[in-house]
């Protein structure tokens, strides 16, 4: 408690209360008028100067916990005092933050009640953030003192912290977006405005049935269903080949299927243009061979569907391979003992037990297709989809935030409907097959006919993937694809040239700024994502508390929400006080943390369920508290899960585009948005060269992290083998 009291006083008396214009990570304010300059002044100095009088209650609330220091934790007054002080302090900070903005009172009724304020305030800074954290953890200490979660201070604080950040960075932006869809041009709430935009013919029109163009909603829905089905079938075929066939090159096939995961999503679209565009190699070859005019058949539904299928089949494969391997051989042995042939066994036993994996693979393919922005932008043509319509509503000439919010709501409804449809299809059936009883441990091979079909599909698709990636590398090293195919490193030099000058190394290439920004943002976001995910997994697997299911749903909600919706909601929520971070690097880090956090949660849960609770109990019995048990016992045994979360979050931060495209700024430009800009300027060579560089950088990083995971596993086996 003393620690959090000190944190609150440091925030109130020593650090700038409001956000720094130069950015969260800039510290030039220390030498620029601090602490008297009102732009950098702590709350205490603002009050001394007679400014921001609404911050004075915070001073009183910070003083109250000091009077409780001498009380015993068992004293009811101690717990009640902490809960009251922490709750009121946290509430007051956000009430005054939302109530007073850059133009004074944010609500007309406040002005009519209290009169003209004659002042304003900006977004919260270091000081306000530390005070909010102080009040939050004072509150959770009071909850623990009352006996909640066994009186465990660490667990109560962890639950409170995770709930707070999820509400602030997931719940609040989504709720804010929902409300903004009902705001008219005059800033007033109007249901008629919402319904006018919601039932717009450009959204739901069916003119395509009579030769015209369908609305973006129908286009997105049809595309997502098609891609979800296709990626699931291809992923299942790859999983069956990798686990239940006699195919000699299974390992190579696995590596090839995972390659698109570390590829920026729209790069595959660029490669398809180089192959099948109007001036593409294949298109020109066939046109010359048949004596016909090259067409633009690739642009529209066919091109987007091919690109998304290539990009998202690996996700389906990774989901399905675990499920295919997880089907217990004992079930299949029982069917064969009852004289079922291999085909009957697969159809009646193996395939039905794979339903959870098939459903999850379809859901992920559906959501990824809905959220995809890069491929529709590159290949869409006249085929409008929700993700690109949202983008142009925000950054286009129309600049209609209300329309963007309505489109995002439609997109969110589609994805949540798919989520609940998946759960309904699975029902309440039991798919558990691993019971602990012994079996042969070897899965039967596929029926011969099915084996030939899936191997053929896998080989054809693998060859197609190799060709596409060959085009990516080749396209980065030609002067101008389709016009001048002279080999050159010009694009790499333009993007990544370096000069040695008297003053030192000068990164003179055009892409260096966005490259270093991307590496920095991904490097900051990845460990934070893993940390939040692992702590959340620990709470879900090791602790029981009221509202646990709601808590789990809230932490997983961001995964069901497409990145496009996250981007729009963040712009609407964090462009004004009290949390004013639009245009900064913080908003990019935060978006990556909460977009990728569910993967860390799932990885942690999967690993933690394999750890016997007796390890925790032994530590607690020896006098360690939950924090020391978590840090000294649990974390060292979770290194593979932690590194898996690090790899995923780093790669996703490097390649994300759907949310990033809305959140970048001139100062914080990410690699993917820079590449999209090159594509819009028809500078395909530079775009592909940059993308190829990113692929190799991520291969190196992922390889290094996987080697580290391997060392951890081998070391543990070696330790066991020595009998230590």
């Amino acid at each position: 408690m003393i620690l959090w009291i000190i944190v609150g006083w440091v925030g109130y008396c020593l650090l700038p209360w409001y956000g720094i214009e130069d950015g969260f990570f800039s510290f030039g304010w220390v030498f620029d008028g601090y602490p008297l300059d009102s732009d950098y002044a702590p709350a205490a100095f603002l009050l001394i100067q007679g400014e921001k009088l609404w911050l004075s209650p915070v001073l009183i609330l910070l003083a109250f916990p000091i009077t409780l220091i001498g009380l015993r934790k068992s004293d009811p007054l101690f717990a009640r005092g902490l809960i009251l002080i922490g709750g009121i302090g946290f509430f007051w900070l956000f009430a005054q933050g939302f109530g007073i903005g850059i133009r004074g009172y944010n609500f007309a009724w406040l002005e009519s009640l209290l009169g003209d304020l004659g002042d304003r305030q900006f977004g919260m800074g270091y000081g306000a953030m530390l005070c909010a954290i102080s009040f939050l953890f004072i509150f959770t200490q009071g909850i623990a003192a009352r006996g909640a979660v066994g009186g465990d201070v660490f667990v109560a604080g962890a639950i409170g912290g995770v709930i707070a950040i999820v509400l602030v960075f997931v719940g609040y932006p989504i709720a804010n977006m929902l409300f903004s869809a009902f705001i008219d041009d005059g800033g007033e709430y109007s249901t008629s405005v919402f319904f006018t935009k919601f039932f717009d013919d450009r959204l739901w029109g069916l003119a395509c049935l009579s030769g015209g163009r369908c609305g973006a909603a129908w286009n997105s829905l049809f595309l997502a269903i098609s891609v979800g089905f296709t990626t699931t079938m291809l992923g299942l075929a790859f999983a069956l080949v990798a686990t239940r066939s006699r195919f000699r090159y299974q390992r190579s096939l696995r590596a090839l299927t995972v390659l698109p995961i570390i590829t920026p999503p729209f790069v595959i679209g660029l490669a398809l243009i180089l192959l099948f565009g109007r001036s593409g190699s294949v298109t020109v070859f066939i046109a010359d061979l048949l004596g016909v005019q090259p067409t633009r058949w690739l642009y529209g539904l066919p091109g987007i569907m091919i690109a998304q299928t290539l990009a998202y089949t690996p996700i389906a494969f990774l989901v399905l391979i675990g499920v295919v391997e997880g089907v217990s051989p004992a079930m299949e042995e029982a069917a064969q003992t009852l004289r079922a042939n291999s085909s009957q066994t697969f159809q009646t036993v193996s395939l039905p037990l794979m339903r959870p994996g098939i459903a999850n693979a379809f859901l992920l393919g559906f959501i990824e297709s809905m959220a995809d922005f890069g491929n529709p932008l590159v290949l869409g043509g006249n085929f409008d989809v929700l993700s690109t319509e949202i983008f142009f509503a925000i950054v286009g000439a129309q600049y209609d935030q209300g329309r963007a919010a309505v489109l995002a709501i439609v997109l969110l409804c589609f994805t949540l409907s798919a989520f609940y449809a998946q759960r309904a299809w699975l029902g309440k059936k039991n798919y558990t097959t691993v019971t602990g009883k012994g079996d042969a441990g070897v899965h039967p091979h596929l029926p011969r006919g099915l084996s030939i079909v899936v191997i053929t599909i896998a080989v054809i698709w693998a060859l197609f993937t190799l060709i596409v990636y060959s085009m990516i590398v080749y396209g980065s090293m030609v002067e101008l694809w389709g016009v001048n195919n002279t080999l050159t490193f010009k694009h790499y030099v333009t993007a990544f040239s370096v000069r040695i000058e008297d003053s030192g190394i000068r990164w003179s290439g055009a892409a260096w700024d966005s490259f270093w920004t991307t590496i920095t943002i991904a490097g900051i976001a990845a460990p934070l994502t893993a940390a939040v995910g692992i702590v959340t997994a620990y709470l879900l697997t090791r602790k029981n508390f009221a509202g646990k299911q709601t808590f789990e749903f809230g932490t997983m909600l961001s995964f069901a929400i497409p990145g496009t919706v996250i981007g729009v909601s963040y712009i609407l929520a964090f462009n004004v006080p009290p949390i004013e971070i639009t245009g900064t690097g913080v908003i990019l880090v935060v978006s990556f943390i909460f977009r990728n956090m569910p993967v860390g949660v799932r990885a942690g849960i999967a690993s933690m369920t394999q750890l016997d609770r007796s390890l925790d109990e032994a530590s607690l019995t020896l006098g360690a508290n939950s924090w020391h048990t978590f840090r000294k016992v649990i974390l060292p045994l979770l290194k593979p899960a932690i590194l898996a979360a690090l790899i995923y979050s780093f790669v996703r931060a490097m390649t994300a585009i759907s949310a990033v495209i809305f959140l970048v700024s001139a100062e914080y430009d990410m690699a993917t948005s820079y590449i999209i800009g090159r594509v819009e300027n028809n500078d395909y060579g530079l775009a592909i060269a940059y993308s190829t560089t990113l692929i190799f950088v991520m291969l190196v990083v992922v390889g290094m992290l996987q080697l580290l995971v391997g060392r951890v596993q081998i070391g543990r086996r070696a330790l066991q083998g020595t009998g230590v």
Side-chain angles (χ1 to χ4, degrees):
M1 187 185 71
I2 295 174
L3 169 66
W4 296 120
I5 293 173
I6 293 172
V7 167
W9 280 101
V10 168
Y12 195 83
C13 298
L14 298 181
L15 295 177
W17 186 261
Y18 294 112
I20 306 300
E21 188 176 354
D22 295 335
F24 189 85
F25 300 109
S26 63
F27 297 95
W29 51 269
V30 176
F31 310 102
D32 190 15
Y34 170 84
L36 299 178
D37 190 325
S38 58
D39 290 338
Y40 312 123
F45 282 82
L46 289 171
L47 286 181
I48 291 172
Q49 297 173 33
E51 300 181 40
K52 320 300 183 193
L53 298 181
W54 55 83
L55 298 180
S56 54
V58 180
L59 176 64
I60 300 171
L61 289 167
L62 284 173
F64 265 112
I66 299 174
T67 63
L68 303 176
I69 291 177
L71 297 178
R72 292 187 176 184
K73 291 184 180 181
S74 58
D75 191 328
L77 184 61
F78 180 81
R80 291 172 187 170
L82 291 181
I83 292 173
L84 193 63
I85 293 165
I88 293 175
F90 197 76
F91 171 78
W92 178 259
L93 281 178
F94 279 89
Q96 61 87 28
F98 283 105
I100 304 171
I102 55 177
R103 294 183 179 87
Y105 289 121
N106 287 328
F107 305 102
W109 63 269
L110 278 175
E111 189 166 353
S112 61
L113 179 66
L114 303 173
D116 183 33
L117 179 65
D119 201 352
R120 63 180 183 176
Q121 70 174 349
F122 300 99
M124 294 182 175
Y126 302 110
M129 181 183 69
L130 286 187
C131 277
I133 292 172
S134 171
F135 284 127
L136 172 64
F137 288 117
I138 287 174
F139 176 80
T140 59
Q141 290 229 339
I143 294 292
R146 283 189 64 105
V149 291
D152 195 313
V153 173
F154 168 67
V155 173
I159 294 172
V162 172
I163 290 175
I165 59 177
V166 168
L167 285 176
V168 170
F169 294 112
V170 178
Y172 166 60
I174 298 301
N176 189 72
M177 182 195 68
L178 296 176
F179 283 118
S180 66
F182 292 87
I183 298 178
D184 60 18
D185 295 335
E188 302 294 330
Y189 284 97
S190 171
T191 55
S192 61
V193 169
F194 171 79
F195 287 113
T196 299
K197 293 178 179 178
F198 187 87
F199 292 107
D200 187 357
D201 194 56
R202 288 186 297 168
L203 193 57
W204 300 103
L206 289 170
C208 56
L209 301 178
S210 56
R213 292 165 61 180
C214 271
W218 296 120
N219 288 344
S220 294
L221 182 61
F222 177 76
L223 175 65
I225 292 173
S226 303
V227 170
F229 177 79
T230 307
T231 54
T232 302
M233 292 300 100
L234 284 170
L236 182 59
F238 277 116
L240 291 173
V241 170
T243 60
R244 298 186 175 220
S245 74
R246 297 181 177 88
F247 189 60
R248 296 175 58 184
Y249 305 103
Q250 291 179 356
R251 290 187 177 180
S252 301
L253 197 64
R254 284 196 184 202
L256 190 61
T257 53
V258 177
L259 184 60
I261 290 179
I262 60 170
T263 305
F266 47 83
V267 176
I268 293 174
L270 292 177
L272 292 177
I273 290 175
L274 299 181
L275 284 170
F276 304 112
R278 191 168 185 177
S279 302
S281 303
V282 176
T283 302
V284 171
F285 175 77
I286 293 177
D288 292 342
L289 184 66
L290 301 179
V292 297
Q293 191 71 20
T295 64
R296 296 173 58 86
W297 70 270
L298 181 69
Y299 298 95
L301 176 62
I304 302 174
M305 188 171 174
I306 294 171
Q308 289 186 346
T309 302
L310 270 167
Y312 304 133
T313 293
I315 298 176
F317 168 74
L318 291 176
V319 170
L320 284 163
I321 192 168
V323 175
V324 171
E325 290 178 332
V327 175
S328 174
M331 298 285 189
E332 295 160 325
E333 290 171 4
Q336 291 175 338
T337 301
L338 294 173
R339 298 185 179 180
N341 59 34
S342 58
S343 180
Q344 291 172 323
T345 300
F346 180 78
Q347 292 178 22
T348 60
V349 178
S350 305
L351 194 59
L353 290 173
M354 297 175 191
R355 283 181 69 172
I358 292 172
N360 279 298
F362 176 84
L363 179 65
L364 289 175
F366 183 93
I367 292 175
E368 292 287 357
S369 174
M370 275 280 180
D372 184 26
F373 168 79
N375 289 314
L377 184 68
V378 173
L379 296 168
N382 293 325
F383 189 80
D384 299 325
V385 294
L386 289 171
S387 58
T388 53
E389 287 292 293
I390 292 171
F391 173 72
F392 289 121
I394 291 289
V395 303
Q398 53 185 312
Y399 189 68
D400 189 345
Q401 289 190 348
R403 173 173 163 76
V406 169
L407 293 171
I409 289 171
V410 174
L411 204 158
L412 182 59
C413 289
F414 280 152
T415 55
L416 290 179
S417 297
F419 176 76
Y420 286 111
Q422 176 232 29
R423 296 188 67 176
W425 184 63
L426 289 177
K428 296 183 179 180
K429 296 178 181 178
N430 186 2
Y431 296 93
T432 303
T433 65
V434 180
T435 62
K437 295 181 179 179
D439 55 49
V442 179
H443 294 288
H445 290 297
L446 293 172
R448 182 173 178 80
L450 180 60
S451 179
I452 293 173
V453 170
V454 295
I455 289 175
T456 302
I457 292 173
V459 169
I460 292 173
W461 195 254
L463 290 174
F464 182 50
T465 304
L466 277 176
I467 292 170
V468 168
Y469 276 88
S470 299
M471 290 300 101
I472 291 174
V473 176
Y474 182 62
S476 69
M477 295 189 293
V478 296
E479 187 77 25
L480 183 61
W481 185 270
V483 178
N484 183 357
N485 291 331
T486 305
L487 293 177
T488 178
F489 285 101
K490 180 184 75 173
H491 306 302
Y492 288 97
V493 172
T494 302
F496 299 107
S497 59
V498 178
R499 293 180 185 173
I500 306 297
E501 298 180 348
D502 294 338
S503 57
I505 299 176
R506 181 184 176 190
W507 309 94
S508 55
W512 279 120
D513 286 344
S514 62
F515 178 81
W516 292 125
T517 300
T518 303
I519 293 291
T520 303
I521 296 294
I524 294 172
L528 293 175
T529 305
V532 175
I534 295 299
V535 169
T536 305
Y538 171 75
L539 297 174
L540 291 172
T541 55
R542 287 298 200 261
K543 302 299 174 182
N544 294 316
F545 49 91
K548 184 175 178 178
Q549 290 186 341
T550 305
F551 176 82
E552 183 174 9
F553 175 78
T555 59
M556 297 302 296
L557 180 63
S558 61
F559 194 71
I561 298 174
T564 315
V565 178
I566 292 289
V568 173
S569 63
Y570 271 37
I571 285 180
L572 297 177
F574 301 134
N575 198 36
V576 292
I579 304 175
E580 195 175 2
I581 55 176
T582 300
T584 68
V586 174
I587 197 169
L588 292 167
V589 172
V590 168
S591 69
F592 289 141
I593 290 173
F594 292 98
R595 185 81 177 101
N596 301 324
M597 180 184 73
V599 175
V601 173
R602 288 296 141 192
I605 288 176
S607 293
M608 235 171 286
T609 50
Q610 296 176 330
L611 303 181
D612 198 316
R613 287 177 179 265
S614 62
L615 295 171
D616 307 38
E617 294 166 358
S619 175
L620 295 171
T621 302
L622 292 172
N625 57 29
S626 291
W627 164 240
H628 284 92
T629 300
F630 176 72
R631 187 164 57 92
K632 297 289 188 180
V633 178
I634 302 296
L635 279 184
L637 297 174
L638 292 180
K639 287 184 179 179
I642 294 170
L643 289 169
L646 283 172
I647 289 171
Y648 179 86
S649 53
F650 182 83
V651 168
R652 294 295 287 183
M654 290 284 288
T655 60
I657 184 62
S658 55
V660 164
I661 197 67
F662 298 97
L663 304 178
V664 293
S665 62
E667 186 177 356
Y668 295 96
D669 191 16
M670 298 288 285
T672 47
S673 64
Y674 180 88
I675 295 170
I676 283 288
R678 296 301 90 208
V679 172
E680 290 177 336
N681 291 331
N682 295 321
D683 193 354
Y684 292 144
L686 181 57
I688 297 175
Y690 198 167
S691 303
T692 305
T693 304
L694 286 182
I695 291 172
F696 282 106
V697 168
M698 284 184 285
L699 277 174
V700 171
V701 173
V702 170
M704 290 171 61
L705 290 174
Q706 285 186 339
L707 281 175
L708 186 56
V709 172
R711 288 195 189 102
V712 171
Q713 293 173 337
I714 291 169
R716 285 157 67 183
R717 290 195 189 105
L719 206 62
Q720 293 170 354
T722 59
V724 177

